[in-house]
Amino acid sequence: MCSANGVSSSTADRQIPASKARYIIGIGFGTVASFGSFVYFHQQRGSLTWNYALEGAIRTITSSQVRVRSFKDNIPRDELFEELKDIILFPQDAECKSWLVSVTGNHMVGKSQLLSQLLNGRKGVLHIHMSNETTPQEEVSSILGIENAGHVALALAEAERRLGHKPILLFDIHERVTDARILDAVSGFAKTFGYDKALAKVVVMASIAATADHITGDGRKIDFFVPEFTRSELDSVEAKRVFEMWYGKPVPDSDVDRIFDLVGGRIGHIKGILSSAKTKGLDEALASMEKVLVRALTRYGKIDESGGFGHDGQYRVAVWLAHQVAHCPFEQCLPEDSIPVQAEEVGKTLRDVRTHPIFFDPRIERYCARSPFVHRHLAAIPFQPHSLREWPPAQPRSLKRLSGA
């Protein structure tokens, strides 16, 4: 039944308190304002469609961050930290602000720890774990819940506006990601979204330099190599504290020497040895790791028989390279131009056979042994029937006569 003023009599009898009415009106205005700002956001891009998926993607970006519960087992590397911070967060050169940053290094040297420390708590960081099955576009679309590349671009642009800084897309490429098409796609994605459209800061973290060589960035890339810990770094107060935490008691310098001799400065392996030694003793933990390294040396020794370096077994110089590195002092290493094959070809081969007794250090452009123990054993790797024993290879006598030699 309706009253004279057209309002239901039952409703007219129930008056809404003024305070509650103001609250409801406020909620209404807030909703309208939010809707209006979102519609404006779409108007600027030629669409008036309310897109819940796009708003969800924006919120995913703005709320995503690297969270580290504790840095109790972190050994500070202040110089590296500050250098990487300047490259990723505060680049001084305006031209490089949108360049791809490639963070590379050997397995277990602490790349993830360094980046986590740098980006901890910073909003707008998408951590993307790559695999051999999905492209970077598919991975990003899966995280954001939107498939259209144009919508991804819109979400990144609006996220930058809300954050006040560019989002960071951190691509984590494990050493088992070897599909060249996937790696090339990461490079293309970085160029499009990081440089051409300048919608995000793209950072690629790769376990080995050979993987990162696919991530070219078309010449718009900054390479940052994370070296292994030096023996002197392991003598710091912070390092001794962390070692005690892993081992359960103080680690004598003589035991640190034994560990470093076996695995070098790869902090992940040092942690594994000390954690294992906590329950079964240091001697047994070191013996287990030694067996791992011997197997790696054995696999390396078969490279020449399996095709060598380069295309079509062009350079069967793996054993020769091992002997050359062994004849150089451990700290000095072997100059890159000592062998005919490019460093990336050597890296690809070592990646494929999953053995790394030798690695290429791009800072000094030399081939180095991964540890003193490995360095001592490289010279013992036997030549295979197809191995070249010298470089350049000696000419057959018939060719020497023809050349007048």
Side-chain angles (χ1 to χ4, degrees), residues 153-183:
L154 290 177
L156 288 170
E158 175 62 10
E160 180 183 0
R161 187 188 71 81
R162 298 184 188 183
L163 289 166
H165 59 79
K166 288 188 184 300
I168 294 176
L169 303 181
L170 173 58
F171 287 95
D172 194 341
I173 302 178
H174 192 270
E175 63 177 351
R176 294 187 181 181
V177 180
T178 58
D179 192 321
R181 295 170 300 176
I182 298 296
L183 299 174

Side-chain angles (χ1 to χ4, degrees), residues 41-42 45 47 51 54 57-58 61 137 140-141 144 146-158 189 192-193 197 199:
F41 165 61
H42 281 281
R45 293 154 180 81
S47 173
N51 194 323
L54 186 55
I58 297 166
I61 297 171
Q137 177 66 54
V140 172
S141 295
L144 299 183
I146 49 178
E147 297 182 1
N148 187 288
H151 284 180
V152 172
L154 290 177
L156 288 170
E158 175 62 10
F189 187 95
T192 299
F193 288 89
K197 297 182 179 180
L199 294 170

